[in-house]
Amino acid sequence: MSARKVNSGLTFKATMTQVSVPASSANIGPGFDSFGLALEIRDRYAAQVLDEPSFDVDVSGEGASEVKKDSKNLVIKSMLRGFEHMGAKPRGIALRALNVIPHGRGLGSSASAIVGGLVLARSLVLTGEQYMSDEDLITLATELEGHPDNVAAAFYGGATIAWIEKSIDTQGSAKSIGRAVSLKVDERIKALLLIPENQLATAKARKLLPENISHQDAVLNSSRSALLVHALAERPDLLFTATEDLLHQSYRASAMPKTLALVEKLRGAGLAAVVSGAGPSVMVLYANNDEEIDQVPSLATGFNAMKLEIAKTGAQ
């Protein structure tokens, strides 16, 4: 099959394209819905446009028996949204996915699928970057995910700060736009993930959050979020203080009591432990203290331990 030009002016590439996307941990304690950290464990996707109107989807690895194998597959849905943004959709798509990121554990598996799908769509269009900029991609990913923190880290890698801006379109309607910037991460910082067997839906975890918090709690979280930028960049010794949170974690205790109990136990031992995203996984950030970290799994009954590097690159 040769490259095919469509009426919109887009030219679809005939060859298969591939992308790998890292896991991500959002919030990092005080940075609710804003901070993200990419972790060096990757889902891998390969896709090709088809001349016939069909979706040929094959998934292996994590959650393979649970995810959709048709047009409702999240990678496919994201690809179609990307093609729509660029101006034309192919008649069909072949997708192969190898999933490694645990599902429903607060490690950004859906963000990986969304970012992977958008990157694949852009890569399958000749000069796709002209039709979908990086900023466009983050906006579309935020639209699909509902919040920008995980998708930003999955796309850019490293640490990121993401936010929502209100934009007025040509018809005068307000629209929410996802934005993100990359942060420097000290090369000494690593992550220990403690992953339980049970899953937790992000939507369920969000319903437990209060509408209002005290001014004192808001001030603490604001100061810790600011400090977290500096701690991640060059002062790992400040990570314990910088990851203190009073905004969201404790309110979710009823949905994941073992997770919050573990976080409290580890923080009681002076470790920078946080709930990873909406949970129920726990992430411990550390630098140059492997001997102490090696003792942590024995304190985390019912959790599988995984040491991970911070992913320096995002989708690639």
Side-chain angles (χ1 to χ4, degrees):
M1 183 176 69
S2 59
R4 183 164 58 85
K5 195 174 185 66
V6 292
N7 292 335
S8 67
L10 296 186
T11 300
F12 293 129
K13 296 178 183 177
T15 55
M16 178 171 282
T17 189
Q18 302 181 50
V19 65
S20 72
V21 189
S24 54
S25 180
N27 305 328
I28 320 180
F32 181 66
D33 272 7
S34 54
F35 279 79
L37 191 64
L39 303 170
E40 198 52 74
I41 176 175
R42 293 174 176 267
D43 283 352
R44 301 179 184 277
Y45 312 106
Q48 186 171 11
V49 297
L50 301 175
D51 284 334
E52 58 272 17
S54 65
F55 295 99
D56 176 7
V57 179
D58 183 76
V59 181
S60 59
E62 177 73 25
S65 62
E66 303 166 9
V67 300
K68 303 290 185 181
K69 308 295 195 308
D70 53 22
S71 62
K72 294 182 180 179
N73 177 278
L74 187 53
V75 180
I76 293 288
K77 286 175 63 176
S78 302
M79 291 183 72
L80 293 174
R81 181 66 185 91
F83 285 127
E84 179 185 11
H85 172 83
M86 291 185 286
K89 295 180 182 179
R91 298 187 70 192
I93 300 171
L95 171 69
R96 301 293 178 264
L98 174 58
N99 294 339
V100 180
I101 302 169
H103 287 198
R105 306 303 205 290
L107 296 173
S109 60
S110 63
S112 173
I114 289 167
V115 168
L118 291 170
V119 171
L120 285 173
R122 186 168 72 173
S123 299
L124 284 168
V125 171
L126 195 65
T127 66
E129 290 80 3
Q130 294 182 13
Y131 302 96
M132 185 197 302
S133 67
D134 288 353
E135 291 75 17
D136 291 337
L137 193 150
I138 291 295
T139 296
L140 292 170
T142 301
E143 172 190 307
L144 289 161
E145 175 80 337
H147 44 92
D149 45 4
N150 285 99
V151 295
F155 180 66
Y156 287 117
T160 53
I161 300 176
W163 67 96
I164 297 288
E165 289 181 3
K166 295 294 183 182
S167 177
I168 306 299
D169 62 22
T170 54
Q171 285 74 41
S173 300
K175 184 179 180 181
S176 296
I177 305 294
R179 299 288 188 225
V181 293
S182 297
L183 292 178
K184 176 185 174 184
V185 180
D186 190 300
E187 292 189 356
R188 293 171 291 177
I189 296 175
K190 300 177 183 178
L192 173 69
L193 271 295
L194 300 165
I195 307 168
E197 291 297 326
N198 61 295
Q199 299 185 9
L200 177 64
T202 300
K204 179 180 178 181
R206 282 182 176 273
K207 289 179 181 178
L208 297 172
L209 299 180
E211 290 293 327
N212 301 289
I213 63 168
S214 72
H215 184 271
Q216 183 177 358
D217 287 356
V219 169
L220 182 141
N221 264 68
S222 179
S223 68
R224 299 305 189 269
S225 292
L227 180 61
L228 185 56
V229 176
H230 185 59
L232 287 170
E234 56 187 89
R235 288 290 302 276
D237 58 298
L238 293 174
L239 281 170
F240 175 74
T241 301
T243 51
E244 187 177 5
D245 165 71
L246 294 177
L247 180 61
H248 66 101
Q249 293 184 146
S250 62
Y251 296 106
R252 292 167 162 169
S254 62
M256 44 182 171
K258 292 182 180 179
T259 292
L260 268 298
L262 180 58
V263 168
E264 291 177 5
K265 180 190 293 186
L266 296 177
R267 293 192 69 83
L271 297 173
V274 298
V275 177
S276 183
S281 296
V282 173
M283 178 173 70
V284 181
L285 295 177
Y286 67 99
N288 298 335
N289 57 344
D290 284 84
E291 290 185 6
E292 183 180 22
I293 288 298
D294 287 341
Q295 307 304 313
V296 171
S298 64
L299 303 175
T301 304
F303 291 77
N304 296 314
M306 182 185 298
K307 278 186 177 181
L308 295 174
E309 300 285 336
I310 308 305
K312 296 180 179 179
T313 57
Q316 60 180 8

